Amino acid sequence: IDPSAINARLAEIRTLLEGVPLDSIWNLDEAGLQHRTTSSRSFVTVNHDGRGVKRSKERITITPIVSAAGEKMDIQLIGKSKSPRALRNVYIHAAFGIDYMHHSKAWQDGSSSMKLLHRINRHAKSRKKVYRILLDNASVHLFAAKMLDPDGSAETCFKFESIVIIFFPPNATSECQPLDQGIIRSIKASFRKYMLKDLLSEYELWTASSDDGDSSKCSLQDHPHLHNVMEWIRDAYCDLSLQIIQHCW
């Protein structure tokens, strides 16, 4: 990593953003979320003798979108199923304010990334503004930007209708990308809080309804289905305050 090249690119970005209103500067990024385990770690010690058990590694992808003014757009969620069983007859966006997409591995790809940029473009048009979107150099972002503006460049910018896509310098997003300065971490922490709160409530209901001599176990492994997961993500995203977002910029 060449620090001088990184600093030079950051100086270019500051020049591109000079005079731009804070509510027209946006950042988005994907984050994997292991939604069927109560721990953020994949290997957790649970027994007194030090032995551990593997937790579920099933994951989804969330993509928060925030502005330098502290605003939020509807979060994107990518799951594996096109029509999740737990969400049958549910209009996802109306119920949760979530933009749901699907992928065989629950990953962001070039197509879903481009659809997301089109959504942001429509948002900018509705406000009659031009948004500057800051992105890392993930291949799916570069693919989508190139499809929207074949003449653009990651070293300068990509332009499409009401959006200008600006890329951070490679290998530096963990230090300079606002979402990586605590926003994504805050969302995940709130998600775990709501998840544990619901699981505890389920356990208390089971305890209250079970007989003293009942030897059956309380099974909570099916409780983190997508309907509940989307409720927890919705509530966690709502908890993300304007002050936290602005502080991370």
Side-chain angles (χ1 to χ4, degrees):
I1 301 175
D2 183 0
S4 61
I6 292 173
N7 291 332
R9 177 55 180 164
L10 292 177
E12 291 172 0
I13 292 174
R14 291 189 188 98
T15 301
L16 289 170
L17 298 179
E18 191 173 346
V20 178
L22 294 181
D23 61 1
S24 294
I25 304 173
W26 293 80
N27 179 217
L28 67 91
D29 195 22
E30 300 82 15
L33 179 64
Q34 293 182 354
H35 62 290
R36 293 185 62 82
T37 175
T38 56
S39 173
S40 59
R41 296 174 294 175
S42 60
F43 190 81
V44 185
T45 301
V46 295
N47 298 320
H48 292 294
D49 60 2
R51 290 183 294 118
V53 295
K54 285 286 185 180
R55 298 303 191 191
S56 169
K57 290 186 178 181
E58 189 175 344
R59 65 187 287 280
I60 54 178
T61 298
I62 56 171
T63 308
I65 312 161
V66 299
S67 79
E71 293 180 284
K72 298 174 285 188
M73 283 192 210
D74 292 341
I75 194 169
Q76 182 198 59
L77 188 154
I78 302 175
K80 289 184 177 181
S81 175
K82 182 178 180 180
S83 302
R85 185 180 304 173
L87 295 166
R88 192 170 295 168
N89 300 320
V90 175
Y91 182 42
I92 294 173
H93 190 268
F96 307 105
I98 290 174
D99 181 20
Y100 180 76
M101 296 185 181
H102 65 93
H103 182 272
S104 59
K105 294 184 178 180
W107 291 347
Q108 184 85 275
D109 62 11
S111 175
S112 57
S113 183
M114 193 154 58
K115 289 177 181 176
L116 184 55
L117 290 173
H118 274 292
R119 173 159 68 90
I120 298 172
N121 181 56
R122 291 193 298 272
H123 193 278
K125 280 185 174 181
S126 70
R127 290 186 171 186
K128 297 181 180 179
K129 294 185 177 183
V130 176
Y131 286 172
R132 275 67 171 181
I133 305 172
L134 302 177
L135 295 177
D136 64 24
N137 288 70
S139 59
V140 294
H141 296 161
L142 289 165
F143 171 84
K146 201 70 177 176
M147 291 295 290
L148 294 176
D149 178 14
D151 298 324
S153 166
E155 287 71 36
T156 53
C157 63
F158 295 85
K159 297 181 179 180
F160 176 75
E161 296 183 356
S162 294
I163 58 175
V164 177
I165 304 167
I166 302 169
F167 282 92
F168 287 114
N171 305 314
T173 51
S174 63
E175 297 180 2
C176 59
Q177 179 165 240
L179 282 165
D180 288 335
Q181 307 312 309
I183 294 174
I184 289 175
R185 182 182 298 177
S186 176
I187 295 170
K188 288 186 174 183
S190 291
F191 172 85
R192 299 289 174 205
K193 178 186 74 174
Y194 286 111
M195 180 186 198
L196 289 168
K197 183 179 178 181
D198 266 21
L199 292 177
L200 181 59
S201 295
E202 279 293 305
Y203 178 75
E204 289 175 344
L205 286 172
W206 175 83
T207 303
S209 61
S210 60
D211 298 328
D212 292 338
D214 190 356
S215 60
S216 63
K217 294 182 179 180
C218 177
S219 177
L220 297 174
Q221 62 184 4
D222 294 328
H223 195 64
H225 51 70
L226 266 182
H227 190 286
N228 285 342
V229 167
M230 286 194 179
E231 287 185 349
W232 301 332
I233 290 173
R234 176 198 62 199
D235 294 342
Y237 201 46
C238 285
D239 281 355
L240 184 64
S241 69
L242 179 145
Q243 289 76 19
I244 289 175
I245 297 172
Q246 289 178 331
H247 181 73
C248 291
W249 280 85

